[in-house]
Amino acid sequence: MADLESAVDAPVAADARQEDPSYGEIVWGQFRKRRLAMACLYGLVGLFLLAVYAPVLASNKPFIWQPAGEPVQFPWFISLFDRTFFENQVDLFFNTLLVFGTIIAIPVAVVFVRTRNRLRRPRRAARSRALVAGIGAFLLCFAAVQAFPVQKQKEVFPRIQAQLEAAGTEVRAVYPPLPYSFRDGDIDQIGQPISRAHLLGTDNAGRDVLTRLLFGTRISLTIGVFAVALYITLGTIIGSIAGYYGGRVDALIQRIIEVVICVPSLFLILTVAAFIENRSIFHIMVIIAAVAWTSPARLIRAEFLRLRNLDFVSAARAVGYRERTIIFKEILPNAIAPVLVAATFGVARAILIESTMSFLGLGDITVPSWGQILNTGRTTSDWVLILAPGFAIFVTVSLLNLVGEGFRDALDPKLRK
Amino acid sequence: MALLEVKDLKTWFYTDDGVLRSVDGVSFEIDRGETLGVVGESGCGKSVTAMSILRLIPQPPGRIVGGQILFEGRDLVTLPIKELRKVRGNDISVIFQEPMTSLNPVYTVGDQTMEAILLHQSVDEDEARAIALDMLKRVGIPAAETRIDEYPHQMSGGMKQRVMIAMALSCKPKLLIADEPTTALDVTIQAQILELLQDLQQSEGMGIMLITHDLGVVAETCDRVVVLYAGQVAETADTGALFDHPAHPYTVGLLRSLPDRAPPGSRLYTIEGMVPSPQDFPTGCRFRTRCPHASEACAELPPVHDLGDGHRVWCHHPLSREDARALTAERTEGGWQ
Amino acid sequence: MTAEPRPPVVQVKDLVKHFPVYKGLFRRQVGSVKAVDGISFDIQGGETVAMVGESGCGKTTAGRAMLRLIEPDSGEVWVSGRNVPDLDRDALRNWRQKMQIIFQDPYSSLNPRQTIGQIIGGGLLLHGIVQTAAEAEDRAKELLERVGLQPRYTSRYPHEFSGGQRQRIGIARAVALNPDFIVCDEAVSALDVSVQAQVINLLLDLKDEFDLCYLFVTHDLSVVRHIADHVVVMYLGQIVERASRADIYARPRHPYTQALLSAAPRTDPHKRRKRVILPGDVPSPINPPAGCRFHTRCPLAGPRCSAERPAAHRIADDHYVACHFYEDTTDPIDVTASSPYPR
């Protein structure tokens, strides 16, 4: 036996203390080498932070409000969960992120930093525990926000302040840098041109365009991410089943996909949208998902057709795993990478579809999405209202596409070395 | 003068992981009418050597950084690319391991065979077709008159390999490089192809460089053998001498680990460890990490010992003839002699 | 051969697997690939049976159909006392513990997204051999050590290993479940000579240690000669000859076996033989030749061969030949003549 024991054990890449990278780490290492894609990823993170912290930058509620002789009030903080001000679930979600998300992120981040020198298995275990706990805590907070709706402030603070000060009462008030509401316009400020007070002017309802653009980031990112998550999930399940079982199941699913693809998706979207009264952005996400699931389904199917004949699948069957386990635990992790790349492009596409719908007047008029702003610009022939959201869409879509390309290249074994 | 003389060839690959010295100082020669076997395990540099001879190394990352490849006295390493093209396919031909992927699926085998003929010989299309047909017949393709117009997918693996050989030989090359020509084929087909190569060599008098990992193929077809290990020559000798009394511990280990030289069911001899990958080739003698005879001296580059009759070995501690015979003598018991 | 008679661990009776061939717009079935066409043999406990033949002879399909990785069309496969084709889904999943497989390609046979610990330990948990993930990990470590790898490799991924190391991992996965029977599907064919010797030694050791029997599917006759107790020679989905190893190599009786042995290159340059070169290719298994399937390439073929399928004649204890001329093949076609290599 001696010859065997000593014979065999020479690790491929020698050093024992230094762990070899897992597949994810290799891909990430490749991605990091692509400077442009990396910069764009930072850009996207920045965009996300802008969306989360939008109220810090722009709100007509003061952080601190203290008319002379009265106790200090914090209207901005209370307004974050005020249903009369932030009517939309998207805003409530982001505001929960802003407050509780920030609080929860700190201990999670501490765990991540502390475990960075540990070995892979304990590191992964600790990190995933922290992540699950963090997400759980966040969802609890969000549920609490839903359960206890605050309905309070109807005051328009800048106007009250002006009135009070006119009456001679000193007011101590600290506003965000942009002291405007994304929703309520100022009748005195309709159609203002670009000025120091309104960096991008105001629209036909007297709302500050920059503020609306900022809050529009929330809407666009939400639509992009949720619509794509929805259709990727749907497409992945359908594609996995078609690819794994093949034969008649596959043929049936393929025919369904062909039917869906044959219908021009934009017309379908517009037609369906026209039938829904009180469209909300959730309707829009569902509509986008309903037409877009076919492409991840086809990608996953093709990957499954390739992978299901590999020996490791036979090995899993020989060991005796259930088909469900084989499909979702053995094959799917190997098939998912190209879909995740497609998802990045998908987010960009979903944002564009929403913008198109809003532009054509089939969006959700209650939210300040970029398409809605564009639409306002179209009806009022105000070029700032067209160029500004157009530029925002352009930047976001470009960032997403460049990140997607970066990941695609990082995954491509041919491009390595 | 030898037909092909490779002197101290170095082909390195410049990658993210560092410089891979895949071929690092390989020398050998091939005479006219001779079959030279180049053997070694995966990663020993045998295919890179072959590709270097025709300068078919993907560049970057690969580069021939040193040495000479003298073909009839001309150095192919420095030959202008125009001149080199005249050599490729005309004086030196190659057949690859995978006949399935080496043929273009959208052209008939006749068209593909004629292409090289038209390129290198001053003949018109009818003549080229006649030559192609003649070649296909000579490599033993039945009903060649009709099969010349067939597409590769209509043929079996053995037939495709015959077509590849016909294409390679259509310009009457002086040297044929055969890179694992039978590895993808079944034994009975392999036997056909090897026999065909031997017959053609006798009639054409060309030199053959046969690259293989299969010592059985070497034993049955080659005149001389070069054993490569980790990008360097370990040993070179006449086939008979190499199998009879190998001098390099690696060659000895290889022969001893063959299952057909050991009594059935016995424990096979094994060489410790595994073939190192090019990024961690050891310094000095590259076999020293696995060698049972390794000493401190082996940290230096091994000297070459000339054992006579062209038997040379690069080793600090080559085995004597008697030791080698004792270690590698066939221990086969009954049957399949 | 084993001294005391034990009941066979594996018995295959008339195993058949045909793959339908469809053609045209309406995917009409126009024929079938007769990959495995009625084969029968036994494997005794502690024994290695080698199944040899050229590509397309159905040996891989046979191995996989026996384990129901491919559903066989008909026939019986008794493994450790139960007929595998009769098992329902749950019973089959349980019985898989008794029969495992080692694959040819060490690169595609390990899931690239799973750690070695998961690959080896997964089946242990599934079959309730161990109860917790920690126990599975410990057992995986023991097994890694047993196949000659470092126990700490359990947290690594397959791409970090060489071909030979991966094959050891595949072997560890197969023996982890403590099976009675393992199909080795070209398990050493893709390995370098020096690594191949290591893996063959390992397989031989494990056979004794775990009391296994192997079906060794391969085309490499020198490996077969080394590892097999019995040899089954297949040609176009049928068994042409079946005998003990000694008989096959010393006294091959089927012309195909004789040609196969003659064609295999030997590593003795002093005995260059005139090989028996079979003419032509293996015919398509979609429409295999009638009668004896070998008659299109057989040097002995007569009119009877194209008309009548030869029965398996028992010519000695444990030696069966499916050839009409089995009486005339005792002196094989000049296999032993050691003619000097012509120059």
Side-chain angles (χ1 to χ4, degrees):
Chain A
M1 211 72 329
D3 67 313
L4 239 187
E5 234 92 352
S6 54
V8 188
D9 196 80
V12 177
D15 198 344
R17 279 151 294 150
Q18 201 182 349
E19 278 188 324
D20 295 281
S22 71
Y23 179 78
E25 286 160 355
I26 291 175
V27 170
W28 175 237
Q30 286 292 322
F31 182 82
R32 285 222 309 216
K33 282 187 196 155
R34 287 152 227 276
R35 291 220 189 116
L36 179 63
M38 204 57 201
C40 290
L41 188 65
Y42 283 127
L44 279 182
V45 172
L47 214 57
F48 174 72
L49 292 178
L50 267 188
V52 172
Y53 293 100
V56 179
L57 297 173
S59 174
N60 63 348
K61 312 291 181 203
F63 293 124
I64 295 169
W65 173 260
Q66 187 179 31
E70 287 185 40
V72 185
Q73 291 176 30
F74 305 98
W76 177 85
F77 184 77
I78 292 163
S79 75
L80 288 178
F81 304 107
D82 185 349
R83 293 296 171 80
T84 56
F85 188 62
F86 287 109
E87 304 160 314
N88 200 303
Q89 285 292 338
V90 174
D91 282 316
L92 277 181
F93 179 81
F94 274 97
N95 288 344
T96 317
L97 259 183
L98 165 62
V99 179
F100 299 106
T102 309
I103 296 168
I104 292 167
I106 291 167
V108 174
V110 167
V111 171
F112 269 66
V113 171
R114 279 210 182 150
T115 53
R116 71 182 183 281
N117 289 328
R118 288 212 209 147
L119 284 174
R120 182 183 296 134
R121 255 167 58 96
R123 184 182 68 219
R124 283 207 178 147
R127 286 185 172 183
S128 53
R129 265 202 307 276
L131 263 185
V132 167
I135 291 170
F138 173 76
L139 290 177
L140 273 180
C141 292
F142 190 55
V145 168
Q146 296 287 337
F148 305 105
V150 183
Q151 289 193 341
K152 254 192 137 148
Q153 304 170 338
K154 297 200 170 68
E155 307 97 324
V156 181
F157 286 90
R159 192 169 296 164
I160 297 170
Q161 186 179 2
Q163 285 166 0
L164 284 173
E165 275 168 347
T169 320
E170 275 294 302
V171 179
R172 196 157 72 90
V174 181
Y175 286 97
L178 299 168
Y180 313 108
S181 159
F182 68 91
R183 188 190 62 173
D184 305 319
D186 187 341
I187 304 163
D188 304 335
Q189 301 283 323
I190 287 175
Q192 292 286 315
I194 290 173
S195 67
R196 185 167 288 195
H198 298 285
L199 289 174
L200 290 174
T202 59
D203 67 3
N204 60 348
R207 297 173 292 199
D208 180 62
V209 174
L210 185 57
T211 304
R212 280 178 71 74
L213 221 50
L214 206 53
F215 279 86
T217 315
R218 291 180 157 190
I219 305 299
S220 294
L221 287 187
T222 308
I223 286 182
V225 170
F226 276 78
V228 169
L230 204 60
Y231 79 67
I232 291 281
T233 313
L234 192 68
T236 299
I237 294 171
I238 295 175
S240 304
I241 290 167
Y244 181 78
Y245 289 102
R248 286 194 184 162
V249 180
D250 181 38
L252 179 71
I253 292 176
Q254 285 292 95
R255 296 297 89 74
I256 296 172
I257 288 177
E258 277 157 22
V259 168
V260 175
I261 288 175
C262 280
V263 181
S265 55
L266 191 63
F267 290 118
L268 184 71
I269 289 169
L270 297 181
T271 316
V272 173
F275 278 101
I276 303 173
E277 292 175 44
N278 303 324
R279 287 176 300 272
S280 83
I281 65 160
F282 296 101
H283 290 121
I284 293 165
M285 290 179 210
V286 171
I287 297 171
I288 293 174
V291 295
W293 63 269
T294 53
S295 71
R298 298 213 300 177
L299 271 175
I300 286 276
R301 171 184 172 268
E303 285 291 299
F304 264 69
L305 286 178
R306 179 176 69 83
L307 292 165
R308 69 167 183 183
N309 292 324
L310 293 186
D311 284 341
F312 76 82
V313 178
S314 299
R317 292 175 58 206
V319 165
Y321 288 110
R322 287 168 199 283
E323 290 195 319
R324 204 175 50 219
T325 318
I326 293 173
I327 294 177
F328 293 109
K329 288 208 170 144
E330 295 276 341
I331 308 184
L332 191 58
N334 290 284
I336 201 75
V339 176
L340 294 183
V341 171
T344 358
F345 297 111
V347 172
R349 205 176 127 215
I351 290 175
L352 282 175
I353 293 177
E354 189 279 331
S355 301
T356 313
M357 291 172 69
S358 295
F359 181 77
L360 294 173
L362 290 164
D364 177 354
I365 48 168
T366 65
V367 296
S369 84
W370 292 334
Q372 288 295 341
I373 303 173
L374 256 173
N375 193 26
T376 320
R378 183 179 61 98
T379 49
T380 58
S381 321
D382 184 341
W383 61 268
V384 179
L385 286 187
I386 293 172
L387 283 188
F391 186 71
I393 293 169
F394 164 73
V395 168
T396 311
V397 170
S398 303
L399 287 177
L400 282 162
N401 281 338
L402 288 169
V403 168
E405 274 172 29
F407 271 117
R408 189 186 58 202
D409 294 350
L411 284 170
D412 187 350
K414 267 178 261 162
L415 292 175
R416 282 189 206 147
K417 295 210 169 167
Chain B
M1 185 178 59
L3 175 66
L4 178 83
E5 204 175 342
V6 175
K7 283 186 185 167
D8 201 28
L9 176 70
K10 291 181 179 168
T11 306
W12 295 358
F13 289 84
Y14 295 83
T15 70
D16 293 353
D17 303 335
V19 180
L20 308 183
R21 303 180 173 202
S22 299
V23 172
D24 205 16
V26 165
S27 307
F28 59 87
E29 61 262 10
I30 302 175
D31 281 327
R32 288 174 183 79
E34 181 187 52
T35 302
L36 177 77
V38 177
V39 288
E41 297 178 283
S42 51
C44 71
K46 51 191 193 296
S47 286
V48 176
T49 305
M51 293 293 101
S52 300
I53 291 172
L54 286 177
R55 300 224 316 254
L56 291 172
I57 297 291
Q59 200 174 351
R63 216 167 77 203
I64 298 175
V65 295
Q68 287 179 308
I69 300 169
L70 299 172
F71 180 71
E72 299 187 308
R74 286 193 297 173
D75 187 359
L76 300 184
V77 174
T78 53
L79 203 65
I81 193 76
K82 259 190 175 170
E83 296 288 307
L84 186 69
R85 282 209 190 100
K86 286 184 197 155
V87 175
R88 281 182 193 163
N90 194 22
D91 293 329
I92 305 179
S93 287
V94 195
I95 24 180
F96 296 102
Q97 173 176 358
E98 285 291 335
M100 332 303 168
T101 52
S102 308
L103 286 170
N104 189 332
V106 299
Y107 295 106
T108 64
V109 295
D111 285 343
Q112 295 184 58
T113 315
M114 282 158 63
E115 199 180 295
I117 301 169
L118 288 168
L119 190 67
H120 292 293
Q121 299 177 18
S122 47
V123 290
D124 65 23
E125 257 190 56
D126 289 339
E127 288 166 318
R129 190 178 160 91
I131 298 173
L133 186 61
D134 181 48
M135 278 321 299
L136 292 176
K137 277 182 188 161
R138 290 188 49 196
V139 298
I141 290 180
E145 290 83 356
T146 53
R147 304 213 81 166
I148 191 170
D149 292 319
E150 283 188 1
Y151 289 89
H153 69 87
Q154 293 168 285
M155 299 187 148
S156 69
M159 280 300 144
K160 280 187 220 168
Q161 197 59 291
R162 282 170 194 266
V163 171
M164 288 301 298
I165 294 172
M167 286 169 63
L169 300 188
S170 58
C171 291
K172 306 209 182 306
K174 293 167 183 154
L175 175 67
L176 177 71
I177 300 175
D179 189 355
E180 305 266 7
T182 56
T183 305
L185 305 175
D186 283 318
V187 272
T188 59
I189 310 298
Q190 166 172 291
Q192 294 172 358
I193 297 290
L194 291 178
E195 184 114 331
L196 170 69
L197 279 178
Q198 284 172 9
D199 290 350
L200 288 169
Q201 181 180 38
Q202 276 166 44
S203 55
E204 310 289 331
M206 64 190 168
I208 295 182
M209 177 177 170
L210 181 72
I211 297 161
T212 181
H213 68 281
D214 189 332
L215 288 163
V217 170
V218 170
E220 301 223 343
T221 54
C222 295
D223 303 314
R224 272 190 319 115
V225 190
V226 171
V227 181
L228 290 186
Y229 183 80
Q232 297 179 335
V233 179
E235 182 167 14
T236 173
D238 286 343
T239 309
L242 189 96
F243 281 88
D244 201 30
H245 46 89
H248 197 286
Y250 175 62
T251 320
V252 173
L254 270 189
L255 289 176
R256 290 180 72 191
S257 58
L258 288 174
D260 65 339
R261 292 167 78 94
S266 64
R267 288 192 63 77
L268 292 171
Y269 176 82
T270 58
I271 304 176
E272 285 189 15
M274 64 178 94
V275 184
S277 56
Q279 49 278 35
D280 25 60
F281 281 160
T283 53
C285 173
R286 291 184 175 175
F287 187 58
R288 71 187 163 103
T289 48
R290 304 173 71 192
C291 182
H293 308 290
S295 69
E296 276 172 27
C298 299
E300 302 293 321
L301 276 176
V304 55
H305 295 271
D306 200 326
L307 309 177
D309 293 335
H311 190 163
R312 276 171 294 164
V313 57
W314 282 256
C315 180
H316 291 281
H317 311 291
L319 277 84
S320 72
R321 216 170 251 230
E322 293 68 36
D323 288 350
R325 278 223 178 94
L327 284 174
T328 60
E330 281 202 63
R331 292 174 290 165
T332 310
E333 65 176 33
W336 204 27
Q337 289 297 326
Chain C
M1 284 188 69
T2 45
E4 77 277 27
R6 291 198 270 177
V9 175
V10 179
Q11 274 181 294
V12 180
K13 287 181 193 159
D14 286 321
L15 187 68
V16 174
K17 177 65 195 176
H18 294 177
F19 293 102
V21 178
Y22 300 103
K23 220 173 185 175
L25 186 61
F26 300 102
R27 302 190 40 83
R28 244 169 355 104
Q29 187 179 337
V30 293
S32 58
V33 176
K34 296 177 178 56
V36 178
D37 209 13
I39 61 170
S40 308
F41 62 95
D42 297 348
I43 306 177
Q44 308 290 331
E47 187 187 62
T48 301
V49 170
M51 187 174 262
V52 297
E54 296 178 281
S55 53
C57 74
K59 57 189 192 295
T60 294
T61 309
R64 294 188 182 207
M66 284 167 66
L67 301 189
R68 275 180 74 184
L69 295 176
I70 299 170
E71 286 296 327
D73 293 341
S74 66
E76 295 171 26
V77 180
W78 294 85
V79 176
S80 306
R82 295 193 71 174
N83 185 13
V84 176
D86 275 352
L87 299 174
D88 65 27
R89 220 165 59 167
D90 289 333
L92 175 65
R93 294 202 311 115
N94 276 329
W95 213 242
R96 288 202 178 282
Q97 193 197 328
K98 304 275 182 199
M99 45 188 197
Q100 284 297 302
I101 179 165
I102 302 165
F103 296 93
Q104 167 173 23
D105 181 359
Y107 290 87
S108 74
S109 59
L110 303 180
N111 191 336
R113 298 286 177 282
Q114 290 185 350
T115 63
I116 306 309
Q118 290 169 324
I119 288 171
I120 299 175
L124 294 170
L125 283 166
L126 185 80
H127 286 284
I129 298 169
V130 298
Q131 305 309 320
T132 66
E135 285 176 76
E137 176 91 13
D138 289 343
R139 182 80 186 113
K141 286 186 166 150
E142 286 168 28
L143 285 159
L144 274 184
E145 199 160 14
R146 179 60 201 87
V147 298
L149 296 170
Q150 301 243 351
R152 63 186 156 79
Y153 288 172
T154 46
S155 63
R156 295 197 176 188
Y157 287 87
H159 70 252
E160 299 167 42
F161 296 92
S162 70
Q165 288 177 315
R166 284 161 183 247
Q167 205 59 311
R168 288 170 191 277
I169 295 164
I171 291 169
R173 167 175 61 195
V175 298
L177 301 181
N178 206 0
D180 297 335
F181 162 54
I182 297 182
V183 174
C184 304
D185 187 359
E186 303 271 12
V188 297
S189 306
L191 305 176
D192 277 322
V193 179
S194 64
V195 179
Q196 176 177 296
Q198 296 169 358
V199 173
I200 288 175
N201 282 349
L202 175 64
L203 286 171
L204 287 172
D205 292 342
L206 290 174
K207 189 178 88 167
D208 296 338
E209 195 175 318
F210 288 79
D211 193 23
L212 298 165
C213 60
Y214 292 135
L215 176 67
F216 215 87
V217 175
T218 184
H219 66 274
D220 189 331
L221 290 162
S222 52
V223 171
V224 170
R225 180 183 153 280
H226 191 77
I227 203 167
D229 300 303
H230 274 81
V231 183
V232 168
V233 183
M234 282 187 76
Y235 187 79
L236 280 178
Q238 295 176 342
I239 292 176
V240 295
E241 185 162 7
R242 174 156 68 92
S244 68
R245 182 208 51 237
D247 275 355
I248 283 282
Y249 282 87
R251 289 172 291 280
R253 293 290 290 277
H254 196 283
Y256 178 65
T257 314
Q258 293 171 350
L260 206 58
L261 288 170
S262 151
R266 306 292 316 283
T267 55
D268 186 352
H270 305 295
K271 287 191 195 146
R272 281 181 176 162
R273 307 142 296 144
K274 192 77 193 146
R275 297 191 198 88
V276 181
I277 304 284
L278 287 178
D281 289 318
V282 182
S284 158
I286 297 179
N287 289 307
C292 173
R293 292 191 174 170
F294 186 57
H295 81 257
T296 54
R297 301 172 78 195
C298 184
L300 302 179
R304 190 180 165 200
C305 299
S306 50
E308 190 185 330
R309 179 176 167 175
H313 301 281
R314 183 168 176 275
I315 54 173
D317 197 32
D318 271 348
H319 194 160
Y320 297 84
V321 184
C323 178
H324 292 305
F325 298 110
Y326 68 98
E327 282 159 337
D328 307 335
T329 55
T330 44
D331 187 23
I333 334 161
D334 199 20
V335 180
T336 49
S338 89
S339 60
Y341 177 51
R343 297 224 162 207

